[in-house]
Amino acid sequence: MAQPVISARGLTKRYGAFTAVDGIDFDIAPGESFGFLGPNGAGKSTTMRMIAATSTRTDGTLSVLGLDANHHGPEIRAQLGIVPQGDMLDEELRVIDNLYVYGRYFGLPRAYVKARSEELLDFAQLREKRTARVDGLSGGMKRRLTIARGLINNPKVMLLDEPTTGLDPQARHVLWDRLFRLKEEGVTLVVTTHFMDEAEQLCDRLVVIDKGTIVAEGSPQSLIREYSTREVLEVRFGSARNEAAAGRLEGIGERQELLPDRVLIYADNGEQALQAVTERGLEPVTSLVRRSSLEDVFLRLTGRSLIE
Amino acid sequence: MTAPATYKAVIDHTVVADHQKVRRWGWAHVVEHMVLRMRSYVSTMLLTGIGSPFLYLLGLGFGLGVLVDQGEGIEGVPYLTFVAPALVMATAMQVGAQENTYGVFGGFKWTNMFNAMRLSPVSPGQMAMGMQAGTLVRVVPMLGFYLVALVLFGIATPLRALAMLPIGLLLALAVGSAVMAWVATQKDDRGQLSFIERFVIVPLTLFSGTYFPLETLPGYLQPIGWISPLWHAAELGRAVMYDMAMSPLMWLVHIGFLASVAAIGAVLSVRVFRRRLDG
C-alpha cells in the first residue's frame, strides 16, 4: 500500500467504564473508498469522530494525513470534508449562505468562497434552491447540501457518516452518483454504513466492525467469497413452522441460518437446494434464490442481523 | 484516473485551507456567521431597539419623573437624567444575557451552529469568543438607538452619550460571558433557561440602583447591588453623563469588577465549550 492517508493501531475510545472502540487497526490508502460496516452502536461513528480529530482517543495511535489526531485537530480538519450523520446545517440560513459561512471557517478568502459556493450548488443539484431556507428542503436535498458543504475546502479526504440513512431509494441513488464522481476524481472516501448495499456500491475495501472490534476485513467480493456461499436460498414456512422445518433440512447446502421469519440456506446453487427441499416433502410458503451479500457475511460473523 | 478534457473537477487541489489564518481569525468568522443570521430578525431588532427607549423615556419622564422632580430630583439632577444611564446599561445587560442564553443553548441544540463549526478548523475556544464578539455587534445598534434618544430628549450631549458606549459594551461582555459559562453546561431546556431573565436579570435591575439610588435600600439589601454588574456600570454611566461625584478608587473598582467578571466568565466558557465539543 502507498503511504496511508489514515493509519490506526490499537485505536481505543473509552467513555468511563464503556469501551466504544476497542483497539482497532486499519490503514486507508490515498484514493481508496474505505468502509466501516456494522450495526448501530458498533463504534463506527466514534471512530469517525476520532479521525476527524473532534474526539480525543483514549489509547493507541492514529495518524491522519501524517499528523497525530490528538494534537493537530485544526490542521487535520482543514484538509478533511466531513459529512456528519445529522447534517448539522443552519436551518435558519439560506442554502447558499450555509455554504458561504462554512467556507469562511476554513480561512478562505470571501471572493473565493462565494465562487466556490456557486460551483458546489451545481454539483449538489440545488441551483433552483439557492435562496431557499434550509428548513424547507427535503431530506435528500439537505444531505446533498451537507456533502457540498463538506467539499468547500477542496478536501483530500471525505468522511461520510451514514450518508444515506433515512433517504428514500431514489434520493440514495442520486447521492451515490455524486459520491462516485468524487471517487473517480481520486478523493479518498471513508464511509460508515449499516447498509450492505451501500457498502457494496461505494467501498473498495471495508472492515466489519462489531462491539468496538474489527471482525473481518477485505473487499466486498472477497468477504462474501470467504464467509458465505455464492447463492442463498430463503424459504418461509410460516413463523410457527420455520423451526420444525429447519430440523428436516439437515445436509442441504453448506450451512443454514434459522431466523424468526425465515430459514436461510447457503449453497452455491440455490435452485438445486430448493429442489432438495421439496424432495424432502417440505413445501415452503415462499422461496427466493439470491446472491450472497454482506448481510450474510455479517450474520455469519456475529450471529446477528445488521438491521435489528 | 484521467478525466476527459471537458470535465470540470469538483476538487481544486491548488486551493488549500489556511489553518494558520483560522488560528488568528476563527472568532471573526463566527461573528460573520452571527451577523448573517441576524438578517432573519432584523425587523424585530429595529422595532424593539427604537421603540423601547422612547417608551421608557416618555413613561418615566412624564410619569415618575414629574413626581420625583417636585422634590429636588435625585442627587441634584432631574429624575430622567438620573435614570437614563441606568436604563441604557440595563439594555446592554438584557441583550448580552439574551443572546448568550438562547444563542448559546440553541447553538448546541437547535441550530447546530457549534456542532457544524466543530467540523472545521475553528476551535471551541474561538467559538465562545466569537459568540461574545458577535453579541457586542448586536449590542452596538441597540445602545446606539438609546443614546440617540437621550440626545434627542436633551438629556445628554452627543459626546457624553458616546462615552456611555464602551461602558455598555464592557457590561454586555461581563454579563454575556457569565451567562454563557452557565448556559453552555445545560444539556436540556426544562424551563431553567427562562430563570435567567426572571430570577437574575429582572431582580438585578430592581436592586441595582437603577430606578433609585442604591443607598435608598436598607443596608442588608445593598450587597445585591455591589455584586451586580449593572450597578457598577450604571454608576460609571452616571459619572460620565452628569459628572456624578466619584473617587478615582471607585472608578477603578467599577471598571475592575466588570473586567474581572468578563475575564472569569470567558475562561470558564472556553473550558465548558472545549469539554462539551470533545465527543
Side-chain angles (χ1 to χ4, degrees):
Chain A
M1 188 188 283
Q3 181 72 26
V5 283
I6 302 170
S7 177
R9 292 290 174 273
L11 182 61
T12 302
K13 178 76 186 189
R14 278 187 287 269
Y15 296 98
F18 172 68
T19 305
V21 176
D22 194 0
I24 61 174
D25 300 344
F26 59 87
D27 287 305
I28 302 173
E32 188 176 28
S33 290
F34 186 88
F36 292 98
L37 177 74
N40 291 327
K44 304 179 308 262
S45 294
T46 308
T47 305
M48 286 296 241
R49 283 199 294 272
M50 287 193 280
I51 295 174
T54 59
S55 173
T56 317
R57 67 174 180 272
T58 319
D59 208 351
T61 62
L62 175 62
S63 142
V64 181
L65 297 154
L67 300 162
D68 185 324
N70 271 10
H71 302 293
H72 297 275
E75 204 174 337
I76 289 170
R77 285 192 298 278
Q79 304 175 72
L80 296 181
I82 306 175
V83 179
Q85 214 176 107
D87 288 333
M88 297 180 188
L89 295 162
D90 192 330
E91 306 237 333
E92 285 167 36
L93 285 185
R94 304 181 306 172
V95 166
I96 189 78
D97 293 336
N98 259 278
L99 296 173
Y100 175 78
V101 291
Y102 193 73
R104 294 286 288 153
Y105 287 137
F106 287 83
L108 298 165
R110 266 194 193 87
Y112 176 77
V113 176
K114 279 208 168 115
R116 177 80 179 145
S117 301
E118 298 293 342
E119 257 174 52
L120 288 172
L121 214 52
D122 291 327
F123 174 77
Q125 297 163 335
L126 290 169
R127 168 63 48 197
E128 68 280 15
K129 293 285 176 188
R130 189 179 178 280
T131 54
R133 265 167 61 117
V134 170
D135 49 12
L137 298 186
S138 72
M141 287 175 177
K142 282 184 189 169
R143 212 72 190 130
R144 296 206 301 274
L145 178 58
T146 309
I147 289 175
R149 186 184 66 179
L151 289 165
I152 198 112
N153 58 325
N154 297 287
K156 294 191 174 72
V157 179
M158 283 292 270
L159 304 182
L160 301 133
D161 198 358
E162 302 277 351
T164 65
T165 295
L167 301 187
D168 60 59
Q170 199 193 344
R172 296 180 78 197
H173 280 282
V174 175
L175 208 90
W176 284 341
D177 167 68
R178 298 290 84 188
L179 294 177
F180 270 128
R181 251 191 82 173
L182 296 174
K183 186 165 149 52
E184 279 173 358
E185 261 185 48
V187 181
T188 309
L189 300 181
V190 183
V191 185
T192 75
T193 182
H194 64 268
F195 296 122
M196 66 263 169
D197 56 343
E198 182 158 272
E200 284 174 348
Q201 288 262 0
L202 288 178
C203 302
D204 304 326
R205 200 161 61 87
L206 54 91
V207 289
V208 180
I209 188 164
D210 185 41
K211 293 176 184 148
T213 59
I214 290 173
V215 290
E217 180 189 339
S219 68
Q221 296 76 11
S222 72
L223 284 170
I224 291 167
R225 221 178 301 124
E226 189 172 344
Y227 294 100
S228 191
T229 49
R230 207 172 65 87
E231 293 186 337
V232 187
L233 167 65
E234 296 193 3
V235 279
R236 292 170 200 260
F237 298 94
S239 40
R241 286 192 296 276
N242 280 333
E243 201 171 341
R248 294 173 56 192
L249 294 170
E250 196 78 15
I252 304 178
E254 275 185 25
R255 201 164 54 80
Q256 298 163 0
E257 290 279 354
L258 171 66
L259 300 182
D261 62 333
R262 61 197 194 276
V263 183
L264 305 183
I265 300 171
Y266 290 92
D268 282 328
N269 188 327
E271 289 298 341
Q272 271 179 16
L274 180 58
Q275 208 179 333
V277 170
T278 48
E279 276 167 8
R280 291 192 184 183
L282 289 164
E283 289 199 14
V285 183
T286 63
S287 64
L288 165 76
V289 174
R290 60 169 174 82
R291 282 181 54 219
S292 267
S293 75
L294 287 171
E295 176 79 43
D296 302 300
V297 173
F298 191 79
L299 193 62
R300 170 79 185 275
L301 288 167
T302 68
R304 287 178 297 120
S305 177
L306 267 171
I307 302 159
E308 287 167 332
Chain B
M1 198 171 287
T2 347
T6 50
Y7 181 93
K8 171 117 172 39
V10 181
I11 302 287
D12 179 354
H13 291 288
T14 61
V15 178
V16 182
D18 190 347
H19 74 275
Q20 300 285 4
K21 196 178 148 205
V22 177
R23 188 163 296 180
R24 288 189 301 277
W25 293 105
W27 64 272
H29 303 318
V30 177
V31 176
E32 204 177 348
H33 188 162
M34 287 176 71
V35 170
L36 257 176
R37 300 190 97 248
M38 283 176 202
R39 264 215 310 238
S40 59
Y41 57 90
V42 73
S43 48
T44 25
M45 228 170 95
L46 286 177
L47 209 68
T48 53
I50 298 172
S52 72
F54 283 89
L55 289 178
Y56 270 94
L57 293 175
L58 285 175
L60 291 176
F62 287 125
L64 197 54
V66 174
L67 210 63
V68 174
D69 292 342
Q70 279 170 356
E72 282 168 10
I74 295 180
E75 294 176 348
V77 292
Y79 183 65
L80 215 48
T81 308
F82 168 82
V83 82
L87 290 178
V88 172
M89 295 307 155
T91 301
M93 175 168 82
Q94 244 165 35
V95 178
Q98 267 165 17
E99 191 73 24
N100 284 286
T101 305
Y102 296 100
V104 169
F105 186 82
F108 284 111
K109 292 281 281 195
W110 303 322
T111 67
N112 283 312
M113 227 173 108
F114 301 134
N115 301 319
M117 285 177 201
R118 188 70 179 116
L119 310 177
S120 80
V122 174
S123 73
Q126 288 175 320
M127 295 176 207
M129 292 301 91
M131 191 81 196
Q132 287 311 326
T135 303
L136 297 188
V137 170
R138 222 197 121 183
V139 172
V140 169
M142 300 303 269
L143 287 185
F145 296 132
Y146 230 117
L147 296 173
V148 168
L150 292 191
V151 174
L152 291 180
F153 275 75
I155 302 170
T157 64
L159 209 62
R160 285 177 188 264
L162 198 64
M164 302 265 279
L165 194 61
I167 305 168
L169 291 180
L170 183 59
L171 174 65
L173 200 61
V175 173
S177 58
V179 168
M180 170 184 268
W182 180 73
V183 171
T185 62
Q186 301 301 301
K187 300 267 162 82
D188 297 292
D189 180 15
R190 287 187 220 89
Q192 79 276 33
L193 293 180
S194 60
F195 284 11
I196 296 181
E197 175 79 23
R198 273 179 224 160
F199 299 116
V200 182
I201 300 303
V202 171
L204 279 189
T205 313
L206 291 174
F207 293 96
S208 296
T210 313
Y211 300 104
F212 45 82
L214 190 64
E215 296 74 42
T216 319
L217 287 175
Y220 62 90
L221 281 179
Q222 290 183 19
I224 300 181
W226 301 340
I227 59 160
S228 158
L230 177 58
W231 177 67
H232 293 277
E235 290 291 288
L236 288 169
R238 285 176 178 132
V240 163
M241 213 173 89
Y242 58 87
D243 297 326
M244 185 188 79
M246 191 187 287
S247 67
L249 177 69
M250 283 317 282
W251 273 94
L252 212 66
V253 167
H254 292 314
I255 293 176
F257 182 87
L258 292 173
S260 306
V261 173
I264 294 167
V267 170
L268 291 178
S269 296
V270 169
R271 197 181 294 174
V272 177
F273 266 62
R274 257 188 214 143
R275 206 183 314 136
R276 184 150 180 192
L277 290 168
D278 182 7

